[in-house]
Amino acid sequence: MTKLRCATLLLAGLVAAMPLRAADNELNVYSARHYQTDQRFYDDFTKQTGTRINLIEGSDSALMERLSSEGASSPADVLILVDAARLWKAEEAGLFQPVKSAVLEERIPAHLRSIDDGEGSKWFGVSRRARIIVYNPDKVDGEKVRNYADLADPALKGLVCTRSGTHPYMLSLIGAMVEHMGAEKAEQWAAGVVSNFARSPRGGDTDQIKATATGECGVALANSYYLARLMRSSKDVDREIADKVRAVWPDQDGNGTHMNITGIGVLRHAPHREAAVRFIEYLTSEQAQRFLAEGNNEWPAVESVKIDNPALEKLGPFKPDPLAIGRIGKAQLEAARIVDRVGWR
Ligand code: FE
């Protein structure tokens, strides 16, 4: 649209009077995070800054393909992705440009930003989620499933359920294990989990929670917000499912529970770079942090921001793993090899 306008002005011979850069009163957002509630922070940003947001939502792979084919003429300013594995993939594909911002460095802890080689960070975590263990107390003794490592214990043969090991949520968890224990031990763990499967991996995290509630699975892995969503659902059937399972914060006596993020970065060819940085800075504000976290039952990335979420409160306090998300993302290459070798499809 900006290009069309520029072309028109050029034809009219007015170009000398106009700056040859895109108007900074708009921002083009590509987002793979599509929760209805996200509209609240887009609207609030426009209200506060007068910057109009043009939003394109799609799957992470569709958006990344689109960015690659648009190349240098892409109108997109920022890309929002969920999960370390996907953020790292976009970073490796050269889609982001580094950003140096005192506000972002102050508000977002270093381990939730991409690894800064001195030029600035390529992406910034704006909300956090945990990967938790859920179990059915009629099938499994809660004391036997306190840690991720327990899922490989032969005592759990025929009881463990997960989604496919090739999914970014699993690649990130396995990547974190590679970082903590080394590739060899992580592979032994993964092989142990696979040999404990109750069924071949299928469905998403909510499906694992449901199958745990029915007893088809004894214990499963899921992102925290999927359980919180069931706990807070207006449907009785969802709350009954949540009531039948128990949640565990894994690795509380060790590294802490594996964490992941929603992240955002300024794109390499962003036509509105200033507005893009301003938008990410806005996302670290008290109000936007609440919108981001509350919209999907997550935690803020900015530690001082407090949220009021009865489901997360009920799950209680826990120790999160402070491992750098950038390292987790990078370790996905090793994680993918492991998944392949142990047949975690
Ligand atoms: Fe999800």
Side-chain angles (χ1 to χ4, degrees):
M1 205 163 112
T2 306
K3 279 206 170 137
L4 249 173
R5 207 182 301 144
C6 281
T8 314
L9 290 171
L10 221 136
L11 283 171
L14 290 169
V15 75
M18 298 291 292
L20 264 178
R21 56 192 278 269
D24 259 340
N25 59 357
E26 63 178 342
L27 180 75
N28 299 321
V29 177
Y30 284 12
S31 176
R33 183 183 138 115
H34 21 85
Y35 307 124
Q36 287 276 311
T37 45
D38 285 0
Q39 197 55 47
R40 292 191 298 181
F41 58 75
Y42 294 128
D43 290 344
D44 190 46
F45 177 70
T46 300
K47 204 171 106 195
Q48 292 201 25
T49 62
T51 305
R52 195 179 73 235
I53 288 183
N54 307 307
L55 176 64
I56 295 203
E57 293 180 325
S59 70
D60 55 301
S61 52
L63 291 176
M64 280 172 62
E65 248 169 62
R66 182 172 175 150
L67 284 164
S68 298
S69 65
E70 287 170 344
S73 57
S74 174
D77 295 302
V78 294
L79 175 64
I80 303 177
L81 293 172
V82 295
D83 198 274
R86 290 172 174 138
L87 284 160
W88 186 80
K89 227 169 157 180
E91 181 185 345
E92 272 299 288
L95 296 179
F96 296 124
Q97 58 172 294
V99 168
K100 269 208 173 296
S101 154
V103 172
L104 296 178
E105 277 168 36
E106 204 258 319
R107 300 281 284 171
I108 302 175
H111 72 281
L112 302 182
R113 297 183 243 130
S114 80
I115 291 157
D116 183 349
D117 49 14
E119 308 246 287
S121 294
K122 301 241 172 82
W123 44 260
F124 300 86
V126 289
S127 67
R128 296 179 300 142
R129 63 271 300 275
R131 198 143 184 80
I132 61 172
I133 291 174
V134 292
Y135 69 94
N136 182 324
D138 295 335
K139 306 257 315 183
V140 168
D141 173 1
E143 284 309 308
K144 300 277 156 60
V145 287
R146 309 316 297 176
N147 305 302
Y148 299 114
D150 296 337
L151 301 183
D153 184 338
L156 293 179
K157 191 154 284 296
L159 288 166
V160 177
C161 285
T162 73
R163 71 191 310 158
S164 168
T166 62
H167 190 275
Y169 298 169
M170 287 312 318
L171 290 177
S172 287
L173 174 62
I174 298 165
M177 308 214 51
V178 168
E179 286 295 304
H180 283 312
M181 56 172 71
E184 203 178 312
K185 280 196 177 149
E187 180 166 342
Q188 282 167 16
W189 174 78
V193 174
V194 168
S195 67
N196 281 343
F197 278 161
R199 59 178 192 181
S200 300
R202 63 168 184 270
D205 286 356
T206 302
D207 298 304
Q208 313 312 316
I209 300 172
K210 285 181 178 169
T212 304
T214 62
E216 184 184 357
C217 312
V219 57
L221 287 165
N223 278 357
S224 46
Y225 55 88
Y226 291 110
L227 180 61
R229 201 180 284 167
L230 291 169
M231 290 166 77
R232 299 182 73 184
S233 172
S234 56
K235 294 185 196 143
D236 291 346
V237 57
D238 287 343
R239 291 197 311 278
E240 280 160 20
I241 288 163
D243 277 344
K244 288 205 177 99
V245 300
R246 301 284 174 271
V248 174
W249 298 119
D251 290 36
Q252 292 303 282
D253 300 325
N255 297 309
T257 296
H258 170 66
M259 303 299 290
N260 220 309
I261 56 168
T262 293
I264 177 169
V266 177
L267 291 156
R268 178 134 73 110
H269 304 294
H272 314 97
R273 189 183 190 278
E274 258 171 66
V277 174
R278 217 182 318 136
F279 178 62
I280 302 179
E281 289 176 348
Y282 158 78
L283 289 181
T284 69
S285 69
E286 186 101 12
Q287 180 68 282
Q289 280 290 292
R290 286 216 188 92
F291 285 151
L292 271 155
E294 280 165 11
N296 188 38
N297 295 294
E298 292 181 79
W299 293 275
V302 178
E303 279 162 1
S304 60
V305 177
K306 297 284 168 270
I307 49 157
D308 178 24
N309 183 317
L312 297 181
E313 199 131 298
K314 197 174 167 195
L315 294 178
F318 69 104
K319 179 175 94 175
D321 183 352
L323 183 61
I325 299 294
R327 282 176 58 191
I328 293 173
K330 195 172 181 184
Q332 75 174 290
L333 293 177
E334 190 59 55
R337 278 192 286 271
I338 289 173
V339 160
D340 205 44
R341 278 199 293 264
V342 303
W344 193 336
R345 303 270 145 62

